[in-house]
Amino acid sequence: MYDFTACIVTYNTNREELAQIISCFQKTKLKFKLWISDNSEEDSLRNFINNLSNDRIEYIFNNSNNGFGSGHNVILEKLMDKNCKEKAEFHLILNADIIFEESTIEKIVDYMRKNSDIGQIGPKIYESNGEVNKSCRLLPTPLNLIFRRFCPIKSVVDKMDYDYEMRWCDYNTIMEVPILSGCFMFIRTDVLKTVGMFDTRYFMYMEDYDLCRRIGQKYKVIFYPEVEIIHEHGKASYKTRKMMMAHINSAIKYFNKWGWFFDNERKTRNKECIKRYKK
């Protein structure tokens, strides 16, 4: 049995990034299995990854791009199978552009083993410029995810982001939050068996919010700043029109599922979080 399993979904991913994240895993002393689930058009990474790795790392070519969540579900389906040989206490879903230190996962595993009510945990995230990523979120409203993109008044957008990104909280404090960044989702495997896999109606973006929200309905979702990672390419959806439209399309699907302006769960959980942490 492994201490944890992990999966990275790739799509025409930079080889240097893959080599870098694989080297991070190879430093851990825990017993793990890492899958590279490739949504690219061509099976061009197989030899590259096989030359970098060993039996703890497995490459899977999906031969199609059905989306980020679908790429991860290829692996999650294996883990959900009762006959699965790669059994593990925890599963890590992460992006390829992540850097973490040798003891990072050991510290997370230790903390989760001491706190069995935690379903998902997220570390403190630094951007490549050294700034702390405001990775904790309230459950979003349509104003947060769609309308602010088209608002020309910067002061209005900044005020919305101040509340939504919980900029008023102390990012050095362990907190139970409604939403965590999807770039590094460390989840108890049994929790995934309870709440299910990624919702594949989202091709790209919002699938992490949706899964995190479902976990938070039954378990604690914890921001754990005692460990730190670097996320090199955050906010990619702001950089191209194509990515922005993909994000908006997924946001529409999210609100169609959970509710646009009438969402009692959103109202209750956000109110509880603000009351607990906003000074």
Side-chain angles (χ1 to χ4, degrees):
M1 180 165 176
Y2 296 100
D3 293 303
F4 74 100
T5 52
C7 180
I8 298 168
V9 169
T10 61
Y11 179 75
N12 298 334
T13 300
N14 181 288
R15 294 189 179 196
E16 286 186 7
E17 280 187 353
L18 280 175
Q20 180 174 257
I21 188 63
I22 288 173
S23 71
C24 291
F25 276 97
Q26 290 173 330
K27 294 174 185 177
T28 182
K29 296 178 176 62
L30 297 174
K31 189 176 181 183
F32 74 90
K33 176 66 177 284
L34 168 65
W35 284 277
I36 309 296
S37 180
D38 191 3
N39 283 349
S40 303
E41 293 95 344
E42 297 180 1
D43 187 4
S44 60
L45 288 175
R46 185 179 302 277
N47 290 336
F48 173 75
I49 291 174
N50 288 343
N51 288 335
L52 289 174
S53 60
N54 51 38
D55 59 355
R56 298 191 297 178
I57 302 173
E58 182 177 341
Y59 172 78
I60 294 179
F61 178 61
N62 297 320
N63 201 30
S64 64
N65 183 16
N66 295 319
F68 179 86
S70 292
H72 278 290
N73 283 353
V74 169
I75 306 307
L76 293 180
E77 286 173 359
K78 291 178 178 288
L79 299 178
M80 300 304 106
D81 188 336
K82 63 180 181 180
N83 297 317
C84 176
K85 296 179 181 179
E86 288 92 358
K87 295 186 183 300
E89 191 174 357
F90 307 102
H91 183 67
L92 172 59
I93 295 163
L94 78 165
N95 291 5
D97 58 341
I98 296 294
I99 302 172
F100 58 87
E101 297 296 328
E102 181 176 346
S103 61
T104 297
I105 297 180
E106 282 86 344
K107 290 178 181 178
I108 292 175
V109 166
D110 181 65
Y111 188 75
M112 289 192 78
R113 283 174 174 166
K114 291 176 180 176
N115 297 273
S116 59
D117 55 349
I118 297 176
Q120 177 183 341
I121 203 166
K124 188 174 185 178
I125 302 171
Y126 284 93
E127 298 177 4
S128 56
N129 62 6
E131 292 184 5
V132 175
N133 182 294
K134 300 300 187 291
S135 56
C136 300
R137 300 282 193 275
L138 298 178
L139 291 174
T141 68
L143 285 172
N144 297 136
L145 293 186
I146 299 177
F147 302 142
R148 71 171 180 165
R149 293 294 185 100
F150 305 102
C151 180
I153 306 172
K154 185 177 184 301
S155 60
V156 174
V157 174
D158 287 344
K159 186 179 186 308
M160 284 192 289
D161 286 348
Y162 180 80
D163 289 328
Y164 166 56
E165 294 180 347
M166 295 175 59
R167 296 182 183 179
W168 32 261
C169 71
D170 182 359
Y171 270 80
N172 294 309
T173 301
I174 297 172
M175 300 181 290
E176 181 179 1
V177 299
I179 297 291
L180 286 170
S181 169
C183 73
F184 191 102
M185 303 174 72
F186 203 91
I187 304 170
R188 207 176 293 276
T189 306
D190 286 345
V191 167
L192 289 168
K193 293 177 181 178
T194 301
V195 305
M197 301 179 289
F198 281 109
D199 186 336
T200 55
R201 77 186 73 188
Y202 309 105
F203 178 78
M204 187 176 185
Y205 300 115
M206 301 308 299
E207 65 283 297
D208 54 337
Y209 278 41
D210 183 274
L211 178 57
C212 188
R213 178 169 180 163
R214 284 184 278 133
I215 292 172
Q217 289 176 327
K218 297 177 180 292
Y219 308 90
K220 288 185 177 181
V221 173
I222 298 295
F223 172 69
Y224 187 58
E226 301 300 311
V227 296
E228 303 170 351
I229 66 170
I230 297 173
H231 186 201
E232 294 197 311
H233 306 301
K235 295 189 175 180
S237 67
Y238 285 81
K239 296 176 182 177
T240 69
R241 176 175 174 81
K242 181 180 179 181
M243 292 296 97
M244 182 185 75
M245 295 310 298
H247 202 162
I248 291 173
N249 183 54
S250 288
I252 291 170
K253 292 177 180 178
Y254 174 90
F255 293 118
N256 284 342
K257 177 177 180 177
W258 293 101
W260 284 78
F261 299 101
F262 300 100
D263 182 347
N264 289 331
E265 180 190 354
R266 175 176 68 206
K267 181 178 179 180
T268 299
R269 289 177 62 185
N270 286 352
K271 185 176 180 180
E272 289 174 351
C273 183
I274 291 170
K275 183 178 180 181
R276 186 180 299 127
Y277 299 114
K278 190 173 184 178
K279 305 299 182 184

